[in-house]
Amino acid sequence: MILTGTVVVDADTLVEDGAVVVEGDEIAAVGDWDDLRGRYPDHERHDCDVLLPGLVQAHVHSVQSLGRGIADDVELLEWLYDHVLPMEASMTAEEVRAAARLGYLELVESGATTCVDHLTVAHAGEAFEAAGELGLRARLGKVLMDQNAPEGLLEDADAALRESEGLIWNYHGEWNGRVRYAVTPRFALTCSEACLRGARELADAYEGVRIHTHASENRGEIERVEAETGTRNVLWLDEVGLTGEDVLLAHGVWTNEREREVIAETGTHVVHCPSANMKLASGVAPVADYLDRGVNVALGSDGPPCNNALDPFAEMRQASLLGKVDALDPTALPAATVFEMATVRGARAAGFERVGKLRPGWKADVVGLTTDVSRTTPVHDVLSSLVFAAHGDDVTFSMVDGEVLMADGEVTVADAAAIRREAREHAARFAAD
């Protein structure tokens, strides 16, 4: 296939009147359309206004999709313990699958081709199957909670780790390597020291498995962690082995100097979730400081009950604007920086190679947008338009590993209307509760 349009190769490289040639699951060539159409005359052609690398949602909660709007206007720990955890504790396998399918459908429709998904304790396999069905590149994990958790989510640590290992055997590297595993402790408050150390041991036992957890999102959280462990959140995670280049820490809002040094020294990734942090009034993550220290920072939407959408374009805009107002500096977190956070930096955090740029030999994860809407007219600067004006609903085309997931604005790998209908039917119970 040959895709045509203005090609955003990466944050630094733009090809106007360009084309991307896809052969198998890789990009074969990128360049001027006039040149490439002569070299590849027999390839099927698909036109878009703008072509860019598929965006990476490095921290989402797909299985919370049925709870969109059930927990507005509350702070994090109340949001979690009074609303979200009770919902997760009661979910059946069918509801988990419906929620995951809805979340992944939203990602496909919004231009995300890769996600790192923090699932729930039970029925995690349903989400793996849904990710395979929808064609996403995804890193998923069953949630670990062996303390401070409600009935229905509280598990014995050894049993939970054994179940996680079974999921690794069943799903890690499946669907042509698109789906991979992350050992997923929820956060320090809900996991004993034995559970956290066991998570590190399990991740070390299997090549390519990562660790994905929350850290230092809220001041109340870090105060409770320090009261229970005697040390700061990130320092505690470092002590039990949950830092390193294979670890993603979602949020990282409230970190002190020593914690930031540890994150940088260990190569730990931070996932910035600006919309969720604003909605829960958790605070402003020190993203510019992390970047200055050489920390790899990615972007995520977090969960539908605390965002309430999974639009990666919204997160780019919010990240840049929040960074500017926090620093009182209009040059802070410019469009190119947040575009990298949403593409190649996100892919690096997720542990996927040759993902996040449109370059020959890289994976054919490509998104196409229309600019034929008032909001993106005119386009004086393509990156500016993508970061500050575009929305997920401008996406008309999506491809992962060379497989078309959406074309001409219609999802091709699933019945989108049926997924939404099923989700509404299941979600009615949670609205009533």
Side-chain angles (χ1 to χ4, degrees):
M1 178 176 283
I2 188 165
L3 308 171
T4 69
T6 297
V7 178
V8 182
V9 175
D10 54 35
D12 301 314
T13 310
L14 185 77
V15 183
E16 295 184 7
D17 297 320
V20 177
V21 179
V22 174
E23 294 183 340
D25 64 354
E26 293 186 349
I27 296 170
V30 178
D32 293 328
W33 163 233
D34 285 342
D35 175 41
L36 292 179
R37 66 179 171 181
R39 292 167 52 191
Y40 299 92
D42 298 327
H43 280 52
E44 175 188 356
R45 175 180 169 184
H46 190 92
D47 300 328
C48 296
D49 292 338
V50 178
L51 296 166
L52 61 147
L55 301 180
V56 179
Q57 285 271 29
H59 179 67
V60 298
H61 292 263
S62 69
V63 301
Q64 294 176 5
S65 294
L66 301 186
R68 196 187 315 263
I70 68 167
D72 290 345
D73 306 322
V74 294
E75 63 86 36
L76 172 67
L77 295 181
E78 179 184 351
W79 173 91
L80 183 65
Y81 280 97
D82 292 353
H83 301 279
V84 173
L85 292 185
M87 178 190 73
E88 288 188 20
S90 71
M91 289 178 74
T92 65
E94 292 78 11
E95 288 165 343
V96 168
R97 183 172 178 83
R101 293 177 82 216
L102 178 64
Y104 299 150
L105 175 66
E106 184 179 357
L107 293 178
V108 170
E109 292 175 328
S110 302
T113 56
T114 298
C115 72
V116 183
D117 195 358
H118 197 286
L119 301 176
T120 188
V121 168
H123 315 303
E126 299 292 340
F128 281 89
E129 295 290 341
E133 173 194 358
L134 271 292
L136 284 167
R137 192 177 301 283
R139 187 173 290 276
L140 319 179
K142 164 193 162 56
V143 169
L144 305 176
M145 302 177 74
D146 74 328
Q147 65 180 26
N148 299 323
E151 184 179 354
L153 295 178
L154 188 65
E155 290 189 304
D156 173 76
D158 289 339
L161 290 165
R162 284 196 300 271
E163 184 180 345
S164 299
E165 188 168 30
L167 290 165
I168 293 171
W169 292 341
N170 288 335
Y171 293 112
H172 183 57
E174 290 298 301
W175 289 283
N176 196 34
R178 288 201 311 266
V179 174
R180 301 182 187 177
Y181 200 83
V183 184
T184 307
R186 187 149 217 144
F187 68 140
L189 287 177
T190 61
C191 296
S192 67
E193 179 175 350
C195 182
L196 296 175
R197 291 189 184 277
R200 165 48 69 194
E201 291 173 3
L202 181 57
D204 286 348
Y206 292 91
E207 183 178 357
V209 168
R210 303 211 140 200
I211 295 172
H212 177 206
T213 192
H214 300 86
S216 303
E217 180 178 358
N218 171 282
R219 284 182 294 187
E221 167 208 347
I222 63 170
E223 290 168 1
R224 284 185 57 181
V225 171
E226 189 162 7
E228 292 188 14
T229 67
T231 189
R232 297 275 299 188
N233 202 342
V234 172
L235 301 183
W236 172 243
L237 294 178
D238 183 57
E239 183 177 331
V240 296
L242 267 61
T243 53
E245 65 82 27
D246 61 349
V247 176
L248 293 84
L249 298 183
H251 301 295
V253 175
W254 297 100
T255 53
N256 65 15
E257 174 68 19
R258 180 57 192 145
E259 289 177 297
R260 297 179 199 182
E261 290 175 353
V262 167
I263 290 170
E265 290 166 359
T266 58
T268 304
H269 308 273
V270 172
V271 186
H272 181 37
C273 302
S275 295
N277 292 159
M278 287 189 283
K279 186 165 187 275
L280 292 170
S282 294
V284 183
V287 174
D289 186 59
Y290 286 138
L291 293 171
D292 287 345
R293 294 170 186 264
V295 174
N296 184 48
V297 182
L299 285 179
S301 285
D302 209 340
C306 66
N307 188 300
N308 292 17
L310 300 179
D311 184 343
F313 292 92
E315 298 314 314
M316 286 195 288
R317 174 182 168 87
Q318 300 284 46
S320 182
L321 298 184
L322 189 60
K324 294 176 190 301
V325 74
D326 182 52
L328 296 179
D329 179 1
T331 69
L333 293 185
T337 299
V338 295
F339 186 78
E340 283 194 337
M341 290 163 62
T343 52
V344 69
R345 285 181 174 272
R348 189 183 310 156
F352 287 105
E353 308 79 20
R354 297 181 295 129
V355 171
K357 297 185 180 184
L358 300 183
R359 293 193 176 278
W362 285 50
K363 290 292 189 178
D365 293 7
V366 189
V367 164
L369 276 74
T370 179
T371 58
D372 190 22
V373 293
S374 300
R375 180 175 15 81
T376 54
T377 302
V379 179
H380 291 303
D381 181 292
V382 174
L383 271 186
S384 175
S385 180
L386 291 174
V387 170
F388 296 117
H391 289 179
D393 55 12
D394 300 334
V395 174
T396 60
F397 179 87
S398 179
M399 167 185 284
V400 175
D401 260 356
E403 178 185 359
V404 176
L405 310 186
M406 183 167 70
D408 300 319
E410 298 293 330
V411 174
T412 60
V413 290
D415 185 337
I419 289 174
R420 289 191 289 268
R421 182 171 59 251
E422 181 184 26
R424 283 192 292 268
E425 292 169 355
H426 285 298
R429 177 170 76 84
F430 301 108
D433 290 346

